[in-house]
Amino acid sequence: MRSATSTARTSPSARLLTAMAALLGVFLLGALGPAAAQARPAQAEAAATGLHISDGRLLEGNGNDFVMRGVNHAHTWYPGETQSLADIKSFGANTVRVVLSDGHRWTRNGPAEVAGIIADCKANRLICVLEVHDTTGYGEDAAAGTLDHAADYWISLKDVLVGQEDYVIVNIGNEPWGNTDPAGWTAPTTAAVKKLRAAGFTHTIMVDAPNWGQDWQGVMRANAQAVYDADTTGNLIFSIHMYSVYNTAKAVTDYLNAFVDAGLPLLIGEFGGPADQWGDPDEDTMMAAAEQLDLGYLAWSWSGNTDPILDLAIDFDPSRLSSWGERVFHGANGIAQTSEEATVFGGGTPGDTQAPTTPGTPTASAVTASSATLSWTAATDNVAIAGYDVVRVSGGSETPVASSTTNKVTVTGLTANTAYSFAVYARDAAGNRSARSAAVNVTTDRTTPTPGVGCSVGYRVVGEWPGGFQGEITIRNTGTATLNGWNLGFSFAGGQTVSNMWGGTPTQSGATVSVAPASYTAQIAANGSVTVGFTGTRGAANPAPAAFTLSGTACTTA
């Protein structure tokens, strides 16, 4: 996690680097412990009460398979941001993971407050994952609390939580062990689960991994079966947090597939995409693999991070999604494209098996060198259309490129002077999908578009360390027309070089840098902005670039 009051995602990551190189390869090649292949205990198929686990899957009380698609929200540090859950829901999320405190480290969130959060989740048709954050980094961070203390906190809230099993998952403690002796995670995790069951909790319980949630030494992976077997209800789900340790497709898929192959329930309870000084997480594989394996994911985090590169919305403003937010909500395998509302709220319409009609053949307009606007005749459905998925068709294969809740979308990030073929599917709230529409052929323009009126660029250094730094560039369209595609140019004055970038693709020759947009930053609405972040190397000085151009047009600096 990253928070307004903690650097738990930063300093612990630095501490793990000394050992990670030697151990990570062994961990990723390993498997779940010897018990992984054993038959599941009879108690794992306990009678369903609300959200529950069966055959390694998270199900609703009616047996509907529920796949979490949502984000984390730092309530305990920002209790006044009461609009956040509605804003998160507006982007299509079906789940929110809410940060709480048991009072050990931060101000305790009491029963009335937690009851209000649950009511807010339900009002916004969101499944509510409640977690205690005070446990973060126990054993390495002296300020962290124990899982036993967190379990006592949940028991103190029992009157608020009992009866909410259809709507609430209890995440005992966030990242409840650091990098010091992570093998110590297993016993207190098992004990906390047993303590809650002995107190009468039947909710699905979520447990986080050690190593600050990333399990890079494989302790949770090796002991998951034993921990699961200790739960008398079988309603236990494991949560892996994926940041810079998971910087390759192999690291991501090896970990997720190990649990799926063992029949053990798992989700990505936190993940990041923007690169930092410790590495560049492979968020594209995380999201694609989660969709392929039908595993949940919850992005970190809505807003309010000390390190703002992980803010999905800037300053809690839903109209100002960051490039990270655009990626999570609107990118390939993102929330808008893959989320299905829980049937307990009426989403999915249990018993609805009728697919929507086929959408009309798309037509293309406003074609530029890097984008095209597609529109089509709307499909119909016996209940309601939930959205549309646009795919690129190439021979016998197809690739998702965009999603929309209306019958119009702009596809961005295209290559100039290139032929494409696009088609559309309609889907309803139950997840039924129409037949694919006929395709439209589009050839993009030869030249990159230039801004219509003007642009401004804001440049800032987010953080520095010996020999390196992290920067952020905000590009604002000050004109009256939407920009579809752009190229940012600038020159460093202090010998800096770009190492990693998110939100764009850099090309550097000497001091001169050219940045092409990512697919989710290519379009900038009039008076809108996108943000590109990067890490780089520097010398003794680190001056900001003096001037910027956007597709050849000089920009003002903000």
Side-chain angles (χ1 to χ4, degrees):
M1 69 90 196
R2 296 181 193 242
S3 75
T5 52
S6 170
T7 55
R9 178 63 54 221
T10 54
S11 56
S13 296
R15 290 194 288 269
L16 69 80
L17 287 177
T18 57
M20 185 174 70
L23 292 175
L24 183 57
V26 175
F27 150 53
L28 291 175
L29 292 173
L32 288 164
Q38 294 178 1
R40 302 278 294 268
Q43 66 264 30
E45 307 302 334
T49 302
L51 290 160
H52 64 284
I53 302 297
S54 179
D55 291 329
R57 304 292 305 165
L58 176 63
L59 307 181
E60 295 186 72
N62 64 2
N64 178 66
D65 191 89
F66 182 69
V67 179
M68 284 183 265
R69 288 284 181 267
V71 305
N72 288 262
H73 170 53
H75 169 83
T76 200
W77 303 303
Y78 300 99
E81 296 295 340
T82 55
Q83 178 64 25
S84 291
L85 297 193
D87 292 337
I88 290 166
K89 179 62 178 182
S90 72
F91 289 104
N94 63 21
T95 305
V96 63
R97 181 172 178 256
V98 181
V99 176
L100 300 177
S101 173
D102 64 6
H104 177 85
R105 188 169 185 175
W106 296 287
T107 302
R108 183 179 185 271
N109 302 113
E113 186 178 4
V114 174
I117 293 168
I118 296 170
D120 201 9
C121 282
K122 292 165 72 173
N124 288 290
R125 304 162 74 90
L126 290 162
I127 294 300
C128 209
V129 178
L130 302 177
E131 61 103 341
V132 163
H133 219 78
D134 308 66
T135 58
T136 306
Y138 180 81
E140 186 172 357
D141 188 336
T146 65
L147 281 171
D148 187 64
H149 189 271
D152 286 339
Y153 171 72
W154 295 120
I155 292 170
S156 76
L157 298 176
K158 185 177 177 182
D159 289 346
V160 169
L161 296 172
V162 169
Q164 303 299 331
E165 292 84 357
D166 280 314
Y167 308 98
V168 172
I169 293 172
V170 176
N171 188 179
I172 305 177
N174 182 72
E175 301 178 3
W177 210 275
N179 295 318
T180 303
D181 187 26
W185 166 91
T186 305
T189 298
T190 302
V193 172
K194 288 183 174 180
K195 191 170 193 175
L196 291 181
R197 296 307 185 204
F201 283 79
T202 59
H203 303 70
T204 292
I205 291 175
M206 185 183 296
V207 295
D208 283 9
N211 296 125
W212 302 89
Q214 296 198 79
D215 201 29
W216 59 273
Q217 289 177 284
V219 171
M220 185 172 81
R221 180 171 169 171
N223 293 279
Q225 187 73 53
V227 174
Y228 182 84
D229 290 348
D231 183 2
T232 55
T233 71
N235 292 332
L236 189 73
I237 188 167
F238 296 92
S239 174
I240 182 66
H241 293 182
M242 289 187 162
Y243 292 96
S244 54
V245 167
Y246 296 91
N247 60 356
T248 67
K250 186 177 189 304
V252 174
T253 57
D254 279 0
Y255 198 93
L256 299 182
N257 277 302
F259 278 77
V260 171
D261 291 346
L264 288 167
L266 179 75
L267 84 153
I268 306 174
E270 287 184 20
F271 70 103
D276 56 27
Q277 59 264 46
W278 301 288
D280 186 1
D282 187 355
E283 72 277 14
D284 290 340
T285 297
M286 295 176 202
M287 296 169 74
E291 177 64 11
Q292 178 188 9
L293 298 171
D294 280 336
L295 300 180
Y297 67 65
L298 304 173
W300 187 275
S301 76
W302 178 241
S303 198
N305 290 284
T306 301
D307 185 349
I309 63 169
L310 284 179
D311 281 358
L312 297 161
I314 299 168
D315 294 330
F316 294 93
D317 185 349
S319 70
R320 299 170 61 204
L321 289 185
S322 66
S323 56
W324 173 227
E326 290 288 351
R327 173 69 189 92
V328 166
F329 289 114
H330 299 135
N333 301 300
I335 287 173
Q337 188 181 83
T338 64
S339 177
E340 295 182 16
E341 188 176 89
T343 60
V344 71
F345 300 120
T349 313
D352 177 15
T353 59
Q354 182 174 326
T357 62
T358 305
T361 304
T363 59
S365 62
V367 179
T368 72
S370 62
S371 67
T373 297
L374 305 177
S375 57
W376 54 90
T377 301
T380 59
D381 186 65
N382 63 313
V383 179
I385 298 294
Y388 296 90
D389 300 322
V390 178
V391 296
R392 179 186 177 185
V393 181
S394 179
S397 65
E398 59 182 44
T399 304
V401 294
S403 59
S404 175
T405 56
T406 69
N407 59 327
K408 185 176 183 179
V409 72
T410 298
V411 180
T412 60
L414 306 180
T415 302
N417 195 29
T418 302
Y420 293 89
S421 183
F422 297 109
V424 183
Y425 291 94
R427 51 183 162 78
D428 63 19
N432 299 310
R433 205 181 196 197
S434 72
R436 192 176 78 190
S437 74
V440 61
N441 296 319
V442 179
T443 299
T444 51
D445 291 345
R446 290 179 178 274
T447 58
T448 302
T450 57
V453 178
C455 52
S456 69
V457 175
Y459 179 95
R460 73 185 185 105
V461 173
V462 176
E464 292 182 299
W465 55 92
F469 73 108
Q470 179 181 315
E472 182 178 270
I473 305 170
T474 300
I475 306 164
R476 180 169 293 279
N477 174 12
T478 59
T480 58
T482 297
L483 301 182
N484 292 302
W486 48 265
N487 188 282
L488 179 71
F490 62 92
S491 294
F492 282 122
Q496 303 99 318
T497 60
V498 176
S499 303
N500 295 291
M501 180 172 282
W502 53 98
T505 302
T507 302
Q508 184 165 357
S509 177
T512 302
V513 181
S514 176
V515 179
S519 61
Y520 50 92
T521 58
Q523 185 178 82
I524 312 178
N527 202 35
S529 65
V530 296
T531 300
V532 174
F534 67 94
T535 57
T537 62
R538 66 176 182 92
N542 190 19
F548 296 87
T549 62
L550 197 66
S551 300
T553 297
C555 300
T556 60
T557 54

